[in-house]
Amino acid sequence: MATVSTRVLGLPASLERTATERCLVMGVVNVTPDSFSDGGRWLDPDAAVRHGLELVADGADVVDVGGESTRPGAQRPSAEEELRRVLPVVRALAAEGVSVSIDTMRAGVAEAALGAGAVVLNDVSGGLADAGMADVAAASRAPFVVMHWRGPSQTMNALAHYDDVVTDVVTELRGRVDALVAAGVDVEQLVLDPGLGFAKDADHNWALLGRLDELHALGRPLLVGASRKRFLGSLLAGADGSPRPVEEREAATVATTVLAAQAGAWCVRVHEVRPSADAVRVVAASRAAAEPLGPGGSAS
C-alpha cells in the first residue's frame, strides 16, 4: 500500500491525533425532507441538533450537516432555503463543542457555515458545482473533502460510463487536486472521496471498494461513504428481487466500514454511528496486534 499522510491542514488537534490511531467516523445529519435514507426525520432544527449530539455520544468524531439531498433525481433547494436549514444546526452543535462538517456544493453556504462554527468543508461536487468553493477553501484553510463527481443528481446516472472505473476515478480526482491547488488551495487541506453511488452503478461501487488501495496513489487521505446505499440494497435483495429496505442495510454498511478501514481509509461517513465506531476500533486493534514486536516485547 502506498504511504499516505494522515495530516489534514486545519483539522482540530484532537481529531488529528485520533486519525493517526484509527479510521475516523463521520456521522450524518440530513436537514432535508427528501434524503434517501432519513429524509424529513431531522428537518426540524432542534431534532437535528439532538440527533447530532446522539451521534457524538455514539462515537462520531465529526458530524456532517447537510441541507440538500444528493440522491439521484433530487431537486435543489434555493440557497436561502439551504442556509435556513443548516445554519441553526451548525451553530448549535459547534457551541456544544462538536466538530461539524458542512455538506454543501455552494460556496456561500460553506462560508456562512464556517462562520457559524463548522470546521470541515464537504463538497460532493469537489468544487465543480460552484467555482467560488475553491476561494472559500483557500481563504479558510479548513479541511476540504473533495468527492469524485461528474454531474448533478438529475443526470448523474447517465454519466456512469468508464473504461476502468478505478483508473478513471483516480485520473479525474488527480485533475481536481491539480485544479484546486492552482486556485490557491493547499494540497494538505484535501481529503478525497471516490464518490460511491455518484455516477456509478453497483459494479463500479464494488470495484472501488475492492481496490481502494489504488486510490492511495493520489497521496491524500480518503473518505468513504457507502452507508445504506442502493448497491447494498441490491446485493441483499429478497427472493422477489426487491432491494433490501434502507433501514435494513446496517450490517452491510458496517462490513463496508471494515473494508474501508482495513484499506487505510482516513474516515467513513455513516448514518448509524455506533456499529461503525466499534468496527474501526476493532480494525485498529487488529492492526496494532499484527505489528512485529520490537526489543523487550514492545510493538516496533
Side-chain angles (χ1 to χ4, degrees), residues 13-49:
S14 60
L15 292 186
E16 189 171 350
R17 287 192 299 272
T18 301
T20 66
E21 300 166 356
R22 61 166 172 79
C23 179
L24 299 176
V25 177
M26 175 183 283
V28 179
V29 176
N30 290 316
V31 194
T32 60
D34 56 347
S35 292
F36 83 95
S37 175
D38 51 9
R41 292 188 67 186
W42 322 117
L43 188 57
D44 174 75
D46 291 339
V49 172

Side-chain angles (χ1 to χ4, degrees), residues 97-116:
V98 176
S99 293
V100 178
S101 167
I102 179 64
D103 178 2
T104 184
M105 293 185 283
R106 288 185 168 112
V109 174
E111 187 171 31
L114 288 169

Side-chain angles (χ1 to χ4, degrees), residues 65-106:
V65 177
E68 175 181 354
S69 173
T70 52
R71 64 176 174 78
Q75 299 298 310
R76 301 198 74 182
S78 67
E80 293 74 19
E81 174 61 15
E82 188 180 353
L83 284 165
R84 187 192 68 79
R85 292 174 182 177
V86 301
L87 285 186
V89 180
V90 170
R91 190 174 292 114
L93 288 174
E96 293 287 339
V98 176
S99 293
V100 178
S101 167
I102 179 64
D103 178 2
T104 184
M105 293 185 283
R106 288 185 168 112

